[in-house]
Amino acid sequence: MRAVVQRVKTSRVEVDGDEVGRIGPGLLVLLGVAQGDEEKDANYLADKVANLRIFPDDAGQMNRSVLETGGAVLVVSQFTLLGDCRKGRRPSFARAARPEKAKELYESFVAYLRAKDLHVETGRFQEMMDVYLVNDGPVTILLDSEKILVGMHFTQLSTICRGWPPIIILRGTGSQSMACSIKR
């Protein structure tokens, strides 16, 4: 399961010109579900999102979570996060979960956040959506419930992420998490 987490001042999502979700300050989460993902992956990522300390404290340091700030979360399903572009020019989405399973785990992710008393808005699963945001920072975090980057050298990570704004990649679960900060 993959998530792109963006700290936002505001965000909204529309389907066919109708607004279906809107938040003020908080997090926009683009969520992709992979084949083989389970409830534990949804819970792991939802807990990580709720507790990520990426909001500034009184000293301006990233020490507060969305839970601590009283912010909201907008969750938008995005299977294209599982796109594999290593061969050819057209992404392969073979790793993406089937829609039925992806929807079940997407809804579990949302329910987990709501159980933490977060205000959560959503897009519409399997719909074409227009997503608007005012990025705050910008702060963009990539989360993945797998450990596929373990063993990669920093130069390989830098090559993968060339041209992006500064990001942090967190992979794995629990004490086996790997954290890597990439700076331009």
Side-chain angles (χ1 to χ4, degrees):
M1 188 172 288
R2 292 184 180 161
V4 174
V5 181
Q6 295 181 295
R7 189 177 75 189
V8 297
K9 292 181 179 182
T10 184
S11 186
R12 74 180 196 275
V13 60
E14 295 179 359
V15 175
D16 294 327
D18 295 326
E19 185 175 284
V20 297
R22 172 186 289 269
I23 63 168
L27 300 173
L28 168 63
V29 178
L30 306 174
L31 186 69
V33 180
Q35 288 185 23
D37 282 344
E38 300 173 359
E39 186 87 18
K40 67 179 176 147
D41 296 286
N43 293 344
Y44 167 76
L45 281 188
D47 189 67
K48 187 66 82 170
V49 165
N51 291 289
L52 274 175
R53 295 181 352 180
I54 58 174
F55 290 89
D57 61 15
D58 294 337
Q61 300 296 311
M62 284 198 229
N63 279 324
R64 299 179 73 206
S65 70
V66 69
L67 285 168
E68 295 168 300
T69 63
V73 182
L74 175 59
V75 183
V76 176
S77 64
Q78 189 172 348
F79 79 93
T80 60
L81 292 177
L82 282 298
D84 184 348
C85 300
R86 291 177 292 176
K87 285 184 162 182
R89 295 185 177 144
R90 183 187 324 217
S92 167
F93 300 106
R95 287 203 57 234
R98 301 287 311 147
E100 305 77 28
K101 183 66 173 178
K103 184 174 184 179
E104 172 190 324
L105 292 176
Y106 168 80
E107 289 173 350
S108 292
F109 179 91
V110 169
Y112 189 97
L113 292 175
R114 287 182 173 147
K116 295 270 188 189
D117 290 328
L118 284 165
H119 175 79
V120 181
E121 296 280 325
T122 65
R124 284 199 193 137
F125 192 84
Q126 262 189 314
E127 294 280 347
M128 291 296 294
M129 294 175 274
D130 296 323
V131 180
Y132 301 86
L133 72 142
V134 177
N135 208 320
D136 183 14
V139 175
T140 301
I141 308 292
L142 304 179
L143 299 174
D144 196 313
S145 61
E146 291 184 359
K147 296 179 269 186
I148 61 173
L149 291 183
V150 171
M152 286 187 124
H153 297 288
F154 182 77
T155 53
Q156 290 171 302
L157 289 172
S158 297
T159 300
I160 290 169
C161 301
R162 187 180 312 129
W164 287 25
I167 60 171
I168 299 169
I169 298 177
L170 298 173
R171 300 239 177 204
T173 57
S175 62
Q176 298 176 350
S177 293
M178 178 178 100
C180 177
S181 178
I182 300 174
K183 301 175 182 167
R184 297 198 324 173

